[in-house]
Amino acid sequence: MTHATNSAEHTARHPKDPWPVPRTALQPVLRPVRLGIIGLGAMGAEMLDVAVRHPEFEVVLAADPSAEALARARAARPGVAYVRDPGQLLDHDGLDAVYVASPPATHAALAIRAMKAGKAVFAEKPLAVDPAEGEEMVAVAAATGVVNALNFTLSDRAAALAVGRAVRDGDAGTVVGVDLRFSFPQWPRAFQQDARWLAAREQGGFLREVASHYFFLTDRLLGPLSPVHTHLTYGDGSDTAAETAATGLFLAGTVPVRLSAQVAAAPETYEWTLHGTARSYRLTDWADLWHTTPSGWTRIALDGPRGTEETRLTEFARALRGEHTTLPDFAAGLRVQHLVEHFHRTAR
């Protein structure tokens, strides 16, 4: 297997897709991909459900140290084999690929062990928490040549693809700025309350969990971002709580990229705005796309698939067959990781 890379000098464009996408030179996987899943929290359980129903995958084994998580998964999908020790899964000879949905601090050790065993890896973001571990993940991916990918929601979300086409085709004109704006009435959000690590500074926070998706989108559209200034406010006065407010200024080339986010008594808000000289575009609530018209912001009707866990799993299968894919690789995830961790590093 050879490593799939998103770097500019090795990219091509799929005729139906505006993104730069990696070329791969793999032996095609013609049978269903034999998949193992590590971590059965919110995302792992969702991917388990999707993968069991996906015609291109066979879920062979799933692992989680939590007996409660295993019990929930076993009740929902009794046809899958389960273990508490992720090491048993990583050592399993009957797997082609591993999906890593465990907390971020565990990603590096699990992904590196899987890659060294010749298994492809599809992982939740962020790539890692420790920048050195992220660098090692990228290095091992290159050395082993296995397919590696991160599950960034906006890699194939229809609204993000439409913005990509607008930038590529010149509909936006010259891009003069990007704004990211987020607000959370509570953190972690209600559906994530069981994932206590999300409330802690070590692995959690909305920068890693939410802003990373939008940093990825900006990086993909405009190129790598360089930090100019970042500021964080942490919660409850302790040394362990996640951030409650963040502001940042970055440059993508000469284009300013501004971030403003907070946990506050306000409606939950997800807003990414690309300002162009001909037309501006706004992505709200992960999937709704707007553009400017003489009458103001007008919502755009989008065609085609919305972009889901199922479509991204299909993209992973394409990568394993040596086809073009919209999924970002670990190298792209490392650029995003460096941006996010810059906030924490300069706040200390």
Side-chain angles (χ1 to χ4, degrees), residues 33-51 57 59 61-63 86 89-90 95-102 107 110-111 114 119-125 149-153 213 308-310 312-313 316 327 330:
V33 176
R34 298 170 300 177
L35 183 68
I37 297 175
I38 299 176
L40 294 170
M43 290 308 302
E46 181 176 354
M47 189 60 79
L48 172 65
D49 187 60
V50 170
F57 288 84
V59 181
L61 190 62
L89 185 149
L90 294 169
L95 296 180
D96 303 305
V98 176
Y99 183 75
V100 178
S102 52
H107 288 185
L110 295 171
K119 296 175 174 66
V121 179
F122 187 20
E124 275 299 310
K125 51 83 212 62
L150 281 180
N151 189 12
F152 279 117
T153 298
H213 289 281
T308 62
E309 306 305 325
E310 181 179 5
R312 287 186 289 282
L313 200 58
F316 188 51
L327 292 175
F330 285 0

Side-chain angles (χ1 to χ4, degrees), residues 11-318:
T11 57
R13 292 187 186 275
H14 189 285
K16 295 183 179 179
D17 199 309
W19 300 127
V21 294
R23 291 189 181 278
T24 58
L26 311 175
Q27 293 298 318
V29 178
L30 301 179
R31 54 173 168 69
V33 176
R34 298 170 300 177
L35 183 68
I37 297 175
I38 299 176
L40 294 170
M43 290 308 302
E46 181 176 354
M47 189 60 79
L48 172 65
D49 187 60
V50 170
V52 165
R53 294 182 284 105
H54 200 294
E56 296 181 276
F57 288 84
E58 175 193 356
V59 181
V60 175
L61 190 62
D64 194 297
S66 166
E68 293 81 4
L70 288 181
R72 287 193 299 268
R74 189 176 285 112
R77 291 293 178 181
V80 175
Y82 297 92
V83 294
R84 293 188 68 173
D85 180 9
Q88 289 182 249
L89 185 149
L90 294 169
D91 292 339
H92 197 291
D93 291 334
L95 296 180
D96 303 305
V98 176
Y99 183 75
V100 178
S102 52
T106 67
H107 288 185
L110 295 171
I112 288 169
R113 184 169 169 180
M115 290 187 290
K116 287 183 175 179
K119 296 175 174 66
V121 179
F122 187 20
E124 275 299 310
K125 51 83 212 62
L127 180 68
V129 176
D130 183 338
E133 290 187 340
E135 297 276 1
E136 185 180 4
M137 291 171 74
V138 171
V140 172
T144 60
V146 301
V147 169
N148 55 97
L150 281 180
N151 189 12
F152 279 117
T153 298
L154 298 177
S155 64
D156 75 340
R157 189 56 56 91
L161 295 175
V163 174
R165 287 191 291 270
V167 171
R168 177 199 64 187
D169 296 342
D171 295 342
T174 301
V175 178
V176 296
V178 174
D179 287 308
L180 292 72
R181 190 170 69 90
F182 309 109
S183 187
F184 309 96
Q186 67 179 89
W187 187 268
R189 294 161 293 182
F191 72 93
Q192 296 172 316
Q193 291 302 305
D194 289 342
R196 290 185 292 273
W197 56 268
L198 279 168
R201 191 178 314 178
E202 180 185 11
Q203 303 182 69
F206 55 72
L207 288 173
R208 297 184 181 111
E209 182 68 9
V210 174
S212 61
H213 289 281
Y214 295 86
F215 282 138
F216 157 74
L217 176 60
T218 310
D219 173 283
R220 176 165 272 188
L221 287 174
L222 304 180
L225 280 65
S226 300
V228 176
H229 172 76
T230 58
H231 178 76
L232 277 187
T233 300
Y234 291 112
D236 78 14
S238 75
D239 293 331
T240 60
E243 66 271 12
T244 55
T247 58
L249 173 64
F250 301 83
L251 289 176
T254 59
V255 178
V257 177
R258 298 165 290 262
L259 168 81
S260 175
Q262 57 280 315
V263 180
E268 194 163 322
T269 301
Y270 305 89
E271 186 177 283
W272 178 93
T273 305
L274 180 140
H275 303 280
T277 56
R279 178 169 285 176
S280 296
Y281 293 83
R282 176 166 290 168
L283 175 60
T284 63
D285 297 325
W286 298 96
D288 298 330
L289 184 62
W290 309 72
H291 66 181
T292 50
T293 66
S295 59
W297 289 104
T298 301
R299 188 169 178 177
I300 300 174
L302 298 169
D303 298 324
R306 178 178 184 266
T308 62
E309 306 305 325
E310 181 179 5
T311 60
R312 287 186 289 282
L313 200 58
T314 297
E315 289 293 320
F316 188 51
R318 287 178 178 171

